[in-house]
């Protein structure tokens, strides 16, 4: 850890590993999560859920529940529909996309097993659960639409008959002449890939407390979410409450990863329940409910081909992706974004120009599918990187060599991918070279050969990736979604010369508040510990996009930087007036106004603040000190800031049992300017482990009737400490020139390629047996099947 | 996930516990460590009127050598099984299995008696109990009786313990010179219930198998002895041929349930692999 | 059937006595009745380790114990260990190493680390990972947690073995 030394330039925090000031509270058990919050007269809700994946609701008898001890309200879909307008999860830029309207609780039919049908509000959660047990609902079971192929067949049962089919969206990309390219290629490889559904499993489940005060028409929602402004907008619009009277507070949040930015029916219902009761109502999804109501992710079947010439130069890709998203498209971000990123990110690291892809997004009677960390990336990366390895096999090339040969040259930017993505500057070759050296690739290959003779089967897998970060309005705004791509900051100097920074990006443990503090401290010129960063409250922080799609550092950070510069100019103007000097001859170091040329201290910032706030009479006439600034920043220039990197996985496969020991993982990553290496590396590690979870363990398993068969933390396997490897990380820094800060995002890089590297490593380990696998998670059963043991 | 309401009793003798059970019309559950029962209550899979906390009954505690038998009280916790010197010396198969049972904090609370009474077919200790040929001491209001492990595990989560009866202690014939043993399991993650596991206790004479008890778990509705395999090995030296022959037989001894995730063929395959490895280990103990 | 029962125990050094429903888990009792919200619940079925507390000297899941069962016991939570400053070095190491992100798993991790480091010797990374086998963390990927615990184990051992205070400083 490189602690600050007196020899450093004052306040040079950007690029430094500094620990997170706000973590101390969490370490002392003093975090305040929504699950911890208790409001006066607060009630608790439990839901009666559908046991069927698809059924008509014939009748609901809740009389016995109403009479149970402690019950304050029993509400159905009809009750809530009187208060809440329906929502539709579509965006205009996905042409032709369809989705049915949704309500907090269903009125006439249920569309997935586990869907909440009746809400019971009682004095305690236990009493609400007691009452939920005595609600009787008569269902008329309908055929469940589960399989993505059967769902698209003519005559298939329709989940939303009004839409005419079970197809949510059909997209195509075609650069033309693909069939000819494949026909003329020296090598063609193809594979059918399966990506299991998995889910976020944040350690703190979803939690929300809605508190409606009818006397003021004020709704206050404590909501464990990463996007409070988005929910302020949604609650205001759908419940008809003026936006100024809706306050959403996101306190400490026990993990999110994209899962806590979608509209959930139970959460929406809680707002209505509080309005009906005029009391705070709390809902905490228990873990069993989480599995059947949190968004799931992935669930893709991809058939893909890759063509190469005789020298292993990749010529083209041809891709067909079918993805199942549940019974409707999620709101407000839709469930098409993942598929869209899958088919646009395919082949992104490479130079080939010929590309054809077909994307079908299909409704089915399962839990809704939508954005979760690294949206689409792992799928595009796995498909591409496996096919690249297959070409390497054909041409007898080394896996590093084929990538070096095909990756876009580091001096080949700016350029545009065949799918239309604009790359400002990436560094695949620098990353590959760095990785090769870091992992001692040649040494590992030699060891692998030697161990194979002794019956020990190790595998090495490489995966190059491109990540989408810093999205501009092209991501959601153009589609009509009221999701901001800009951020806002207010920075103010207190009378003692401390600084408050209120900013719209939110803290989820990734360290937003820390890096914002670093940036403001450096650009204002004060010590980091004099800054308090405040996030997560729509009533106090300026409007902004908050946290999604790796935008906190790049967009939020740039907002803070520009705001800090603006404030610094204001401070120097006042200082110049007091000191009878020119502002541009002054600077700020460690809370002192100094002579810019000599760094000689002139006056302390606290003294400026004291004068400005308490003795403005002593300021020169006409001077109005502006010691607070508000500043907004919206990304311009490139629609996204793409980042890149490469991962390697080293593992040992027990070829008799199908069990895998992951030995080590390496990541070389280029997220532009690194603001805090300590935090960046931990983002990557956490992301890698989520990717390895998907590669080996995590899968929401459904039976034919649409029942989730492993919906508990005992049955759904998450990655744990013993099975996870140490992860070594290297950096290449290619700052974006779109911003002064130069930072891009890093939150999804780890997840983007870990499963691809792992899949390539398993296939490498199985090579002596001629076996292959193209499905994640790679369970022992699937590996044993591939090896022909079962 | 909140349990349904219940009343609570905390007896301090076996008789008080048995009476409490009878006194509430048998709609009661004993709770020892609670590590299996509490999740079942939280999920409302079980909802007794009365919870009888047996954790404070001294007669159910302790590990004691009684002649050729080791008596292990039903309340002996997994963590004690792991560390107890008498168990390590006289019933070492338990000590070897213990690190595979769940995680440290669960081992700090879960009891051996609870594990055996619960009789999860994927649990380690029931299979070890079977391999060791232990006897289980069960108390009811008439007195106590001892049931051989072979007669104890009846079906899925079902044992020879009748409703209201209490498992008091486990009696294990102590290991002697000439005994060899091995335990292992294949699990996807540390502490998970195993895909397949196996405990073996063998008695050798002149490097040939005289007696052998092989107990698999996670391969049927109860822990299962691989009786054909055992028979095939008696009188044999554990050479490669004998091991291979034993492996060929093991599939028939098992009765894995249909499960798409872990199909029966996979369980049988893994059992074969595991058996081969464990027998190899036992063979090497002789050299 | 659901009458309240008296529960008396020592929690973080304080004697507490409350009448509660027997179905109240120790986790809910600590969090709701005593407002000790440092103990978290992530699964309520013994799988995630967020709810670990020290009960009569051993780390156990407070979600898998009813408060009535713990009547008469001595309990320590993260708040108590923090006040007694017995995990100050662990907390500092977690902080410096950034061994937490959202922090929801952290109290449970600290409990496991606390009990692991009560045992003699310096545990290997494998042993540390093994001890953490019941502690789920979705954010960190575990390595930083292992690093932090390893560092404290080494530091404690160094202090224990140092014969003179000057060597400790060196
Ligand atoms: C996350 C998790 C992982 C686990 N992993 C494993 C694992 O890998 N392997 C494994 O074997 N176990 C595992 N377990 C279960 C654990 O080992 C339990 O502790 C054990 O099965 C039950 O012991 P207990 O004392 O907690 O019993 P309890 O939960 O108190 O009781 C279980 C049942 O036995 C009855 N009972 C208990 N004691 C007696 C008695 N003396 N006489 C009559 N009836 C009695 C009870 O009425 C109840 O029906 C796991 C548990 C959890 C929560
Ligand atoms: S809440 Fe107790 S282990 Fe998860
Ligand atoms: S830090 Fe979030 S779960 Fe561990």
């Amino acid at each position: 850890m490189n602690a600050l030394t007196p020899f450093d330039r004052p306040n040079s925090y950007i690029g430094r590993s500094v620990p997170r000031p706000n973590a101390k509270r969490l370490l002392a058990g003093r975090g305040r999560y929504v699950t911890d919050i208790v409001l006066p007269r607060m009630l608790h809700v439990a839901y009666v859920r559908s046991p069927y994946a698809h059924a008509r609701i014939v009748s609901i008898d809740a009389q016995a529940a109403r009479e149970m001890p402690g019950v304050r309200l029993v509400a159905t879909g009809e009750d809530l529909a009187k208060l809440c307008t329906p929502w539709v999860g579509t965006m205009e830029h996905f042409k032709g996309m369809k989705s049915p309207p949704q309500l907090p609780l269903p009125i006439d039919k249920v569309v997935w097993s586990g869907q909440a049908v009746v809400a019971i509000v009682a004095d305690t959660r236990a009493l609400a659960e007691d009452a939920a047990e005595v609600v009787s609902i008569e269902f008329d079971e309908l055929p469940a639409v589960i399989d993505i192929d059967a769902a698209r067949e003519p005559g298939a049962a329709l989940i939303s008959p009004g839409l005419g089919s079970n197809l949510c969206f059909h997209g195509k990309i075609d650069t033309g002449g693909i069939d000819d390219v494949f026909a003329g290629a020296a090598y063609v490889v193809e594979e059918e890939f399966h990506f299991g559904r998995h889910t976020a499993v944040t350690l703190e489940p979803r939690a929300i407390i809605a508190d409606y005060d009818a006397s003021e028409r004020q709704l206050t929602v404590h909501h464990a979410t990463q996007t409070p402004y988005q929910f302020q907008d949604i609650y205001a619009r759908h419940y008809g409450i003026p936006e100024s009277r809706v306050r959403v507070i996101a306190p400490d949040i026990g993990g999110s990863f994209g899962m806590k930015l979608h509209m959930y029916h139970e959460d929406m219902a809680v707002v209505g329940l509080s309005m009906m009761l005029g009391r705070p109502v709390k809902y905490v999804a228990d873990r069993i409910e989480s599995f059947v109501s949190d968004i799931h992710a992935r669930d893709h079947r991809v058939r893909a081909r890759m063509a190469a010439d005789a020298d292993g130069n990749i010529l083209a890709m041809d891709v067909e992706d079918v993805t199942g998203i549940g019974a409707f498209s999620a709101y407000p971000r839709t469930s098409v974004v993942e598929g869209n990123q899958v088919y646009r990110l395919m082949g992104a690291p490479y130079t080939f120009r010929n590309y054809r892809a077909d994307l079908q997004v299909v409704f089915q009677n399962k839990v809704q599918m939508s954005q979760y960390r690294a949206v689409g990336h792992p799928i595009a990366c796995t498909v591409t990187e496996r096919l690249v390895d297959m070409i390497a096999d054909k041409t007898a090339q080394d896996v590093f060599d084929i990538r070096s040969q095909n990756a876009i040259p580091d001096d080949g930017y700016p350029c545009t991918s065949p799918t239309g993505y604009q790359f400002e500057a990436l560094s695949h070759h620098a990353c590959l070279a760095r990785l090769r050296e870091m992992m001692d690739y040649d040494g590992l290959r030699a060891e692998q050969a030697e161990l194979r003779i002794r019956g020990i089967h190790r595998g090495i897998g490489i995966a190059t990736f491109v990540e989408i970060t810093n999205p501009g309005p092209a991501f959601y705004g153009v589609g009509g979604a009221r999701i901001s791509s800009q951020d806002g900051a207010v920075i103010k100097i207190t009378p003692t010369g401390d600084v408050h920074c209120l900013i719209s990006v939110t803290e989820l443990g990734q360290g937003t508040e820390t890096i914002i503090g670093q940036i403001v401290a450096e650009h204002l010129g004060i010590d980091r510990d004099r800054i308090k960063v405040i996030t997560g409250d729509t009533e106090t922080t300026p409007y902004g996009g908050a946290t999604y799609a790796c935008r906190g550092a790049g967009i939020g950070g740039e907002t803070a930087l520009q705001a800090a510069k603006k404030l610094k100019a204001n401070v120097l103007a006042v200082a110049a007036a007091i000191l009878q000097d020119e502002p541009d001859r002054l600077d700020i170091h460690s809370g002192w106004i100094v002579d810019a040329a000599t760094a000689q201290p002139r006056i302390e910032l606290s003294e400026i603040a004291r004068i400005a706030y308490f003795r403005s009479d002593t300021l020169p006439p006409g001077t109005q000190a502006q010691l607070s600034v508000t500043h907004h920043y919206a990304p311009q220039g490139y629609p996204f800031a793409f980042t890149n990197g490469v991962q390697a996985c080293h593992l040992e496969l027990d070829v008799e049992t199908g069990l895998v020991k992951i030995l080590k993982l390496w990541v070389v990553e280029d997220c532009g300017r690194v603001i805090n290496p300590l935090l960046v590396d931990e983002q990557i590690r956490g992301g890698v482990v989520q990717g390895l979870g998907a590669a080996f363990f995590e899968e929401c398993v459904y039976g034919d009737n649409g029942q989730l068969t492993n919906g508990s933390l005992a049955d759904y396997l998450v990655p744990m400490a013993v099975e996870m490897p140490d992860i070594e990380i290297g950096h290449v820094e290619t700052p974006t020139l779109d911003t002064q800060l130069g930072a891009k995002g890093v939150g999804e890089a780890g997840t983007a390629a870990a499963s691809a590297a792992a899949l390539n490593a398993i296939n490498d380990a199985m090579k002596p047996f001629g076996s292959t696998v193209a499905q994640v998670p790679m369970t022992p059963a699937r590996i044993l099947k591939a090896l022909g043991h079962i | 996930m909140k349990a349904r309401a219940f009343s609570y009793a905390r007896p301090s003798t076996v008789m008080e516990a048995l009476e409490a059970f009878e006194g509430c019309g048998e709609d009661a559950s004993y709770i020892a460590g609670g590590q299996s029962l509490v999740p079942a209550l939280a999920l409302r899979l079980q909802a007794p009127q009365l919870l009888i906390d047996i954790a404070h009954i001294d007669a159910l505690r302790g590990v004691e050598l009684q002649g050729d038998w080791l008596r292990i009280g039903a309340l002996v916790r997994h963590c004690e099984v792991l560390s107890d010197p008498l168990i390590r010396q006289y019933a070492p198969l338990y000590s070897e299995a213990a690190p595979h049972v769940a995680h440290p904090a669960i081992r700090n609370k879960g009891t051996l008696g609870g594990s055996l009474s619960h009789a999860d077919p994927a649990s380690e200790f029931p299979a070890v109990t079977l391999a060791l040929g232990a006897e289980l001491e069960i108390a009811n209001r008439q007195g106590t009786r001892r049931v051989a492990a072979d007669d104890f595990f009846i079906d899925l989560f079902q044992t020879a313990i009748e409703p209201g009866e209490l498992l008091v202690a486990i009696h294990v014939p102590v290991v002697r010179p000439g005994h060899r043993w091995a335990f292992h399991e294949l699990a996807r993650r540390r502490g998970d219930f195993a895909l397949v596991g196996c405990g073996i206790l063998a008695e050798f004479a002149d490097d040939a198998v005289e007696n052998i008890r092989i107990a698999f778990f996670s391969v049927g509705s109860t822990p299962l002895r691989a009786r054909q395999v055992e028979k095939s090995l008696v009188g044999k030296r554990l050479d490669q041929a004998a091991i291979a022959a034993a492996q060929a037989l093991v599939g028939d001894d098992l009765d894995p349930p249909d499960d798409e995730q872990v199909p029966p063929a996979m369980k049988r395959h893994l059992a074969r692999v595991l058996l081969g490895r464990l027998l190899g280990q036992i063979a090497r103990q002789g050299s | 059937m659901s009458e309240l029962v008296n529960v008396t125990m020592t929690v973080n050094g304080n004697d507490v006595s409350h009448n509660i429903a027997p179905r109240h888990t120790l986790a809910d009792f600590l969090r709701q009745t005593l407002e000790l919200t440092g103990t978290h619940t992530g699964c309520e079925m013994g799988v995630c380790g967020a709810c670990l507390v020290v009960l009569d000297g051993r780390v156990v899941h407070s979600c898998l114990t009813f408060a009535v069962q713990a009547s008469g016991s001595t309990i320590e939570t993260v708040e108590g260990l923090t006040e007694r400053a017995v995990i100050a070095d662990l907390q500092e190491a977690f902080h410096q190493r950034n061994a937490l992100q959202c922090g929801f798993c952290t109290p449970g991790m600290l409990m496991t680390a606390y009990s692991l480091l009560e045992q003699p010797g310096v545990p290997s990374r494998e042993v540390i990972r093994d001890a953490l086998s019941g502690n789920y963390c979705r954010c960190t990927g575990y390595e930083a947690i292992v690093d932090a615990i390893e560092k404290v184990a080494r530091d404690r051992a160094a202090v224990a073995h140092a014969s003179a205070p000057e060597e400790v400083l060196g």
Side-chain angles (χ1 to χ4, degrees), chain A residues 651-672:
Chain A
L651 49 74
E652 187 169 309
L653 171 64
D654 180 337
V655 293
E656 287 185 322
T657 64
L659 294 169
V660 175
K661 170 88 193 138
I662 309 168
L663 300 169
K664 181 128 189 181
L665 224 121
W666 296 265
V667 182
V668 178
E669 207 275 343
D670 183 348
C671 61

Side-chain angles (χ1 to χ4, degrees), chain A residues 19-304:
Chain A
R20 291 158 47 212
N22 60 359
K24 288 199 167 166
R25 186 162 48 78
L26 308 179
L27 280 158
R30 301 223 27 179
R32 177 147 315 154
Y33 303 87
V34 174
T35 33
D36 300 334
I37 293 173
V38 175
L39 298 180
R41 301 182 72 234
M42 187 174 84
L43 299 169
H44 301 262
V45 62
Y47 290 97
V48 185
R49 292 175 183 277
S50 166
Y52 299 108
H54 197 190
R56 198 161 301 290
I57 300 169
V58 179
S59 65
I60 297 173
D61 180 358
Q63 196 46 41
R66 290 196 172 87
E67 289 161 10
M68 290 286 282
V71 172
R72 304 291 167 162
L73 176 70
V74 176
T76 63
E78 298 210 27
D79 300 327
L80 285 157
K82 291 178 192 142
L83 296 173
C84 180
T85 59
W87 61 90
V88 179
T90 55
M91 287 198 288
E92 288 148 21
H93 63 314
F94 295 129
K95 295 275 177 278
M97 124 165 245
K98 306 175 293 193
S99 183
Q102 302 174 55
L103 283 168
L105 300 178
I107 292 179
D108 52 358
K109 74 175 202 166
V110 290
V111 290
W112 85 91
S113 172
Q115 182 174 8
V117 182
V118 177
I120 315 267
V121 188
D123 292 345
T124 67
R125 169 75 188 213
L127 291 171
E129 287 187 26
D130 291 347
E133 282 192 308
V134 303
V135 172
S136 71
I137 306 175
E138 193 190 330
F139 290 102
D140 180 10
E141 197 177 356
L142 298 166
V145 179
I146 303 302
D147 181 73
I148 50 175
D149 291 323
R152 291 177 296 154
E153 260 156 34
L158 294 185
I159 298 171
S160 302
L163 301 182
S165 79
N166 291 321
L167 194 63
C168 167
F169 177 70
H170 190 175
K172 288 175 197 259
I173 300 173
D174 192 349
T175 57
I178 295 295
D179 288 328
D180 293 342
V181 179
F182 272 86
Y187 297 109
V188 171
V189 292
E190 68 182 303
E191 184 62 277
E192 177 174 305
F193 297 86
H194 294 263
F195 298 88
R197 263 185 175 237
H198 53 88
T199 183
V201 202
T202 58
L203 189 47
E204 182 193 33
R206 275 164 39 226
I208 183 169
I209 305 167
D211 183 9
Y212 185 72
D213 176 356
S215 65
E216 288 196 324
R217 280 192 84 196
Q218 167 76 38
L219 174 70
T220 304
V221 183
H222 288 83
H223 191 167
T225 176
Q226 42 191 111
T227 51
Y229 313 94
Q230 172 197 298
F231 283 107
Q232 178 191 35
D233 168 70
I234 288 175
Y235 298 143
R237 274 192 293 119
H238 290 279
Y239 279 104
I241 308 168
E243 197 166 62
S244 62
R245 295 301 166 89
V246 177
R247 176 181 189 183
V248 178
I249 302 169
D252 292 328
I253 295 166
S256 188
F257 316 112
M259 186 273 281
K260 292 178 182 167
L261 48 62
H262 306 286
M263 186 70 255
Y264 293 97
H265 303 83
E266 297 91 343
D267 301 5
M268 192 68 139
V270 165
V271 171
L273 296 170
S274 175
M275 291 174 76
M276 288 186 214
L277 285 157
R279 290 175 68 168
V281 177
K282 180 175 194 171
Y283 173 64
V284 177
D286 67 32
R287 185 58 60 188
I288 303 298
E289 294 179 287
S290 300
F291 278 105
V292 295
S293 62
D294 292 358
I295 54 115
H296 293 176
R298 321 303 185 222
D299 199 354
H300 292 254
R301 183 193 65 206
V302 181
R303 295 181 175 136

